Amino acid sequence: MPTETTYAELTSWIQRVHALGTVGELLGWDEQVNLPPGAAEQRAGQQAALAEAAHGAASDPRLGGWLAKLEAGAAGLTADQRAVVKNARKDYDRATKLPAEFVREKATQDSRGYHAWAKARSADDFAGYAPVLAKNLELVKREAGYLGWAGREYDYMIDKHDPGMTAEVIGRLFGELKRELVPLVREIAASKVKPRADVLRGFSTEGQQVFLREVTERLGFDYNRGRIDVSLHPFCSGTGSDVRMTTRFKEHEPLDSLFSSIHETGHGLYEQGLPADQLGTALGIHAGMAVHESQSRLWENQVARSRGFWRCFEPRLRAVFPAQTAGVSTEELYLAINAVQPTLIRVDADEVTYNLHIILRFELEKKLFTGELAVSDLPGAWRAAAAELLGLTPPNDREGVLQDVHWSGGAFGYFPSYCLGNMLAAQLWYRALALRPQLEEDFARGDFTWLLGWLRENIHSQGRRYDALELARRVTGEELSPKSLLRYLRERYGALYWR
Ligand code: ZN
């Protein structure tokens, strides 16, 4: 069975490359959680050495040989094997088709870009940053060209984060969403119901830690195969049996820590649910950022902002923080959890208006790539779009075009994943509810096992067999669309704000 032997050689090598990648992630996690300040330079050297070794393994010519052999005999492969080969080909091309000089130039520019952005942001100086951004754009377009995507550069950037997705599909989905979401947000903003944001004050870090551990454990995060630590910005890294989440604690904003931790738990549950023996191959890696975000958002929003969830956890919150919650009614607490208020800053946005921040970025990115919009005209275009979508005009660029780090490192095409994830999360939610209408009663009893089991079977265990669009079709029986998200937002927030 020469094909079987070749396939085994290929997957064992892919898993080795993946293992090196996870070591790099671990170093990155350690840098943000533990590293002594004086060790930054030494760590940079370690990471560079590891990245070089990983790139060497990922571009090993033997990989090219195995791939060519398997592609020639593709008819003899199973569907799963074909999925593995297809994904490995994509990775191999990305590792081998970029000239070494280009890779060096891009790495230098990415790090320069970050510093230029940080400086421009603090000085509110877009003009000083514009040439850097223009260079970033030029570099990613060149990268797309090297990989055979000339003329479809923005699609290349989107495909990097979400295999199979295109600007055309996103444009259609976002257009539909925008039409109904903009008026919905205006209605909520005009409501007489105003949540009190200041009802939760003085929550000790120790108490928050206890509560958060209890919640995330109950949701199903396996602390035997993962941990949670503290970092400046929350994130989740690692996979399989070693998933590292982080959070941060703010005494006067306990919901920030709680909900960002539940968000990261959603990512963590996905990674813990990937098939352990297939890690690194298409059968054992996530299906892209939109699907990843659908998992974090589903737990963070549909689950943890529901009445059922709080029927279970409100008594626990009051038990851990009796003094801090004494003057807060159940309804005030629930409203604080589901506060909606348009803001200029994406990372501060609630789950309703968040989508408008993403649509704004997508529309501008798309025009940057087609050339309809010049980099120098971005600030004005941003202000106009914020006024149209959010009803707010940024008084400066710090609260406008300079607020996000992504573009400074050339990460175009990343933003849409967040909103696509929200759409998929809502669609999964209604499918789960159709199969198990008593889902919120389960939650009220502290039982999240049915939902997790369903996600394990239908999403987590599938790895990257299917892209987001195919996965939506298979699991929900419907095309990915904003319908469920709009229905969910109307049902949840209508009940709170229109009364
Ligand atoms: Zn996330």
Side-chain angles (χ1 to χ4, degrees):
M1 302 287 273
T3 306
E4 282 306 318
T5 314
T6 310
Y7 181 78
E9 282 173 320
L10 175 81
T11 51
S12 125
W13 195 267
I14 294 172
Q15 294 199 290
R16 180 193 163 120
V17 174
H18 180 255
L20 287 169
T22 60
V23 176
E25 265 191 70
L26 205 51
L27 287 180
W29 168 85
D30 180 71
E31 188 178 354
Q32 298 197 50
V33 172
N34 292 317
L35 198 74
E41 202 157 319
Q42 195 170 319
R43 174 53 47 89
Q46 292 168 323
Q47 273 169 322
L50 186 74
E52 203 178 313
H55 183 260
S59 54
D60 191 292
R62 279 173 291 177
L63 262 177
W66 296 322
L67 281 170
K69 234 187 204 173
L70 290 164
E71 284 161 347
L77 299 175
T78 65
D80 276 358
Q81 289 173 329
R82 277 199 296 274
V84 169
V85 169
K86 185 179 160 202
N87 193 62
R89 162 60 69 191
K90 225 169 173 171
D91 288 345
Y92 183 67
D93 284 352
R94 275 182 189 151
T96 54
K97 287 197 169 171
L98 300 177
E101 196 182 325
F102 173 81
V103 173
R104 257 195 307 279
E105 187 184 354
K106 179 136 184 355
T108 314
Q109 174 68 15
D110 286 352
S111 121
R112 188 181 297 150
Y114 175 79
H115 294 291
W117 166 74
K119 201 173 141 209
R121 187 185 177 203
S122 72
D124 193 33
D125 172 25
F126 181 81
Y129 173 57
V132 177
L133 199 51
K135 177 81 181 168
N136 286 354
L137 196 59
E138 184 219 315
L139 283 176
V140 298
K141 283 184 180 175
R142 261 166 66 197
E143 181 182 320
Y146 286 128
L147 291 164
W149 291 74
R152 295 177 299 149
E153 288 89 355
Y154 190 41
D155 280 346
Y156 164 76
M157 293 307 294
I158 291 167
D159 184 88
K160 252 177 120 164
H161 306 108
D162 279 306
M165 194 60 71
T166 64
E168 195 202 330
V169 171
I170 297 173
R172 184 167 48 73
L173 296 176
F174 284 10
E176 276 175 51
L177 179 62
K178 180 171 138 178
R179 260 197 306 284
E180 298 194 34
L181 190 54
V182 172
L184 180 67
V185 168
R186 300 275 152 101
E187 276 181 71
I188 293 175
S191 164
K192 286 196 295 290
V193 180
K194 299 286 176 206
R196 274 180 56 204
D198 59 345
V199 292
L200 305 171
R201 287 274 182 257
F203 281 57
S204 69
T205 296
E206 296 71 28
Q208 288 194 53
Q209 264 164 336
V210 168
F211 184 65
L212 192 149
R213 169 83 181 212
E214 189 176 321
V215 169
T216 52
E217 209 159 26
R218 192 67 76 84
L219 294 178
F221 188 81
D222 180 357
Y223 279 95
N224 189 39
R225 302 166 66 226
R227 345 176 3 112
I228 188 161
D229 294 273
V230 173
S231 68
L232 194 57
H233 301 289
F235 65 91
C236 178
S237 75
T239 188
S241 297
D242 190 1
V243 175
R244 310 286 177 106
M245 307 192 287
T246 68
T247 188
R248 61 182 168 198
F249 295 101
K250 299 179 187 171
E251 251 183 58
H252 301 309
E253 288 176 55
L255 295 177
D256 173 84
S257 165
L258 178 66
F259 280 92
S260 67
S261 302
I262 296 173
H263 179 98
E264 301 310 337
T265 297
H267 286 306
L269 290 171
Y270 187 7
E271 291 292 337
Q272 286 185 334
L274 293 169
D277 57 341
Q278 297 286 347
L279 289 184
T281 78
L283 307 180
I285 49 169
H286 65 80
M289 288 321 296
V291 178
H292 230 308
E293 283 299 318
S294 80
Q295 298 306 290
S296 54
R297 307 282 167 140
L298 178 63
W299 291 101
E300 177 192 359
N301 296 326
Q302 277 82 10
V303 175
R305 294 183 203 278
S306 70
R307 295 266 186 197
F309 178 96
W310 284 98
R311 279 212 295 279
C312 169
F313 285 110
E314 184 187 337
R316 289 300 304 141
L317 186 75
R318 291 184 185 277
V320 180
F321 297 103
Q324 294 87 334
T325 53
V328 184
S329 71
T330 294
E331 208 46 35
E332 280 173 324
L333 176 66
Y334 191 64
L335 208 51
I337 287 160
N338 287 290
V340 174
Q341 177 74 57
T343 159
L344 287 167
I345 306 296
R346 176 184 62 88
V347 295
D348 294 338
D350 55 79
E351 67 159 326
V352 185
T353 57
Y354 192 92
N355 299 292
L356 297 175
H357 289 267
I358 298 306
I359 293 172
L360 180 156
R361 285 154 180 77
F362 166 75
E363 289 181 349
L364 296 183
E365 274 188 343
K366 202 172 76 174
K367 287 184 188 160
L368 280 178
F369 274 84
T370 57
E372 271 174 84
L373 180 66
V375 167
S376 55
D377 295 332
L378 257 178
W382 188 289
R383 278 192 290 275
E388 180 210 341
L389 290 164
L390 296 159
L392 300 169
T393 306
N396 52 55
D397 291 332
R398 227 191 325 231
E399 291 168 81
V401 68
L402 287 172
Q403 66 181 274
D404 298 308
V405 66
H406 302 56
W407 294 343
S408 76
F412 301 94
Y414 188 102
F415 287 118
S417 309
Y418 297 122
C419 183
L420 294 169
N422 282 337
M423 287 183 198
L424 183 55
Q427 212 162 312
L428 291 171
W429 174 244
Y430 283 113
R431 182 64 190 150
L433 273 179
L435 295 168
R436 190 167 174 89
Q438 68 272 44
L439 211 46
E440 280 205 44
E441 288 148 45
D442 291 351
F443 298 170
R445 288 194 317 274
D447 183 355
F448 300 89
T449 53
W450 186 91
L451 182 62
L452 180 57
W454 185 72
L455 293 170
R456 285 265 189 265
E457 183 186 337
N458 290 285
I459 307 281
H460 307 175
S461 66
Q462 298 305 317
R464 190 167 283 192
R465 278 185 183 83
Y466 314 111
D467 62 30
L469 293 172
E470 180 63 21
L471 206 53
R473 229 172 264 140
R474 282 177 172 262
V475 183
T476 70
E478 287 171 29
E479 293 293 324
L480 183 67
S481 95
K483 284 193 196 76
S484 296
L485 178 59
L486 285 161
R487 174 184 166 194
Y488 159 75
L489 294 175
R490 262 190 225 106
E491 284 179 2
R492 181 154 292 171
Y493 293 93
L496 286 173
Y497 286 89
W498 301 323
R499 55 185 178 177

